Amino acid sequence: MKKTVTIFILFVSLSILPFALMAQNPPHPNGGSGPTGGNTPVGGGAPLGSGLILMMALGSAYALKKTIKFKAEE
C-alpha cells in the first residue's frame, strides 16, 4: 500500500510540474535589436564543428575501451 501511494504521489507531481515551471523567452537573434537589422542567424553564431568532432572522438574511444574490456572478460 505504501509503495502504491508513493508511486501515485510521484506520478501526480511529475504530471503537474511542467505546468508550474515556465521558461524564459529566447533572446532576439539580432543581439537585442529590432527585427529590421543584423545578420546573426537564428541559432546564434556558435561554431559546432570542433565540439562535434571532439564528442565523436571521445565516444569512439569510450566504445573501444568497453569493447576491449568485454573481450578480455570472455
Side-chain angles (χ1 to χ4, degrees), residues 4 10 15 25 37 39 46 55 67:
T4 306
L10 182 66
S15 297
N25 291 333
N39 58 358
M55 186 67 81
T67 303

PDB file of all heavy atoms in Angstrom, residues 4 10 15 25 37 39 46 55 67:
ATOM      1  N   THR A   4       2.298   1.910  -3.408  1.00  0.00           N
ATOM      2  CA  THR A   4       1.285   2.418  -4.329  1.00  0.00           C
ATOM      3  C   THR A   4       1.050   3.908  -4.107  1.00  0.00           C
ATOM      4  O   THR A   4       0.949   4.677  -5.063  1.00  0.00           O
ATOM      5  CB  THR A   4      -0.035   1.650  -4.149  1.00  0.00           C
ATOM      6  OG1 THR A   4       0.227   0.261  -4.283  1.00  0.00           O
ATOM      7  CG2 THR A   4      -1.059   2.079  -5.163  1.00  0.00           C
ATOM      8  N   LEU A  10       4.218  10.457  -6.799  1.00  0.00           N
ATOM      9  CA  LEU A  10       5.258  10.763  -7.777  1.00  0.00           C
ATOM     10  C   LEU A  10       4.646  11.035  -9.146  1.00  0.00           C
ATOM     11  O   LEU A  10       5.021  11.991  -9.830  1.00  0.00           O
ATOM     12  CB  LEU A  10       6.255   9.606  -7.849  1.00  0.00           C
ATOM     13  CG  LEU A  10       7.430   9.787  -8.801  1.00  0.00           C
ATOM     14  CD1 LEU A  10       8.320  10.923  -8.312  1.00  0.00           C
ATOM     15  CD2 LEU A  10       8.218   8.501  -8.899  1.00  0.00           C
ATOM     16  N   SER A  15       3.247  14.960 -13.244  1.00  0.00           N
ATOM     17  CA  SER A  15       2.235  15.388 -14.202  1.00  0.00           C
ATOM     18  C   SER A  15       1.932  16.876 -14.069  1.00  0.00           C
ATOM     19  O   SER A  15       1.639  17.548 -15.059  1.00  0.00           O
ATOM     20  CB  SER A  15       0.937  14.603 -13.998  1.00  0.00           C
ATOM     21  OG  SER A  15       1.161  13.246 -14.235  1.00  0.00           O
ATOM     22  N   ASN A  25      11.578  33.491 -22.488  1.00  0.00           N
ATOM     23  CA  ASN A  25      11.634  33.570 -23.940  1.00  0.00           C
ATOM     24  C   ASN A  25      13.088  33.667 -24.381  1.00  0.00           C
ATOM     25  O   ASN A  25      13.904  34.284 -23.692  1.00  0.00           O
ATOM     26  CB  ASN A  25      10.868  34.788 -24.444  1.00  0.00           C
ATOM     27  CG  ASN A  25       9.382  34.639 -24.240  1.00  0.00           C
ATOM     28  OD1 ASN A  25       8.872  33.537 -24.207  1.00  0.00           O
ATOM     29  ND2 ASN A  25       8.696  35.769 -24.110  1.00  0.00           N
ATOM     30  N   GLY A  37      17.221  44.692 -38.576  1.00  0.00           N
ATOM     31  CA  GLY A  37      18.649  44.756 -38.876  1.00  0.00           C
ATOM     32  C   GLY A  37      19.409  43.566 -38.340  1.00  0.00           C
ATOM     33  O   GLY A  37      18.879  42.709 -37.652  1.00  0.00           O
ATOM     34  N   ASN A  39      22.619  40.489 -39.078  1.00  0.00           N
ATOM     35  CA  ASN A  39      22.694  39.314 -39.925  1.00  0.00           C
ATOM     36  C   ASN A  39      23.037  38.062 -39.127  1.00  0.00           C
ATOM     37  O   ASN A  39      23.512  37.088 -39.678  1.00  0.00           O
ATOM     38  CB  ASN A  39      23.717  39.527 -41.039  1.00  0.00           C
ATOM     39  CG  ASN A  39      25.095  39.829 -40.497  1.00  0.00           C
ATOM     40  OD1 ASN A  39      25.285  39.914 -39.294  1.00  0.00           O
ATOM     41  ND2 ASN A  39      26.050  40.013 -41.379  1.00  0.00           N
ATOM     42  N   ALA A  46      27.516  30.402 -32.857  1.00  0.00           N
ATOM     43  CA  ALA A  46      28.471  29.477 -32.259  1.00  0.00           C
ATOM     44  C   ALA A  46      28.840  28.372 -33.251  1.00  0.00           C
ATOM     45  O   ALA A  46      27.979  27.768 -33.855  1.00  0.00           O
ATOM     46  CB  ALA A  46      27.902  28.853 -30.992  1.00  0.00           C
ATOM     47  N   MET A  55      33.369  15.369 -29.485  1.00  0.00           N
ATOM     48  CA  MET A  55      32.413  14.467 -28.852  1.00  0.00           C
ATOM     49  C   MET A  55      32.400  13.107 -29.543  1.00  0.00           C
ATOM     50  O   MET A  55      32.334  12.067 -28.887  1.00  0.00           O
ATOM     51  CB  MET A  55      31.010  15.084 -28.884  1.00  0.00           C
ATOM     52  CG  MET A  55      29.992  14.275 -28.134  1.00  0.00           C
ATOM     53  SD  MET A  55      30.275  14.253 -26.377  1.00  0.00           S
ATOM     54  CE  MET A  55      29.572  15.808 -25.916  1.00  0.00           C
ATOM     55  N   THR A  67      34.719  -2.258 -25.562  1.00  0.00           N
ATOM     56  CA  THR A  67      34.846  -3.458 -26.390  1.00  0.00           C
ATOM     57  C   THR A  67      36.048  -4.284 -25.966  1.00  0.00           C
ATOM     58  O   THR A  67      35.966  -5.511 -25.838  1.00  0.00           O
ATOM     59  CB  THR A  67      34.962  -3.068 -27.873  1.00  0.00           C
ATOM     60  OG1 THR A  67      33.828  -2.288 -28.233  1.00  0.00           O
ATOM     61  CG2 THR A  67      35.043  -4.288 -28.762  1.00  0.00           C
TER      62      THR A  67
END
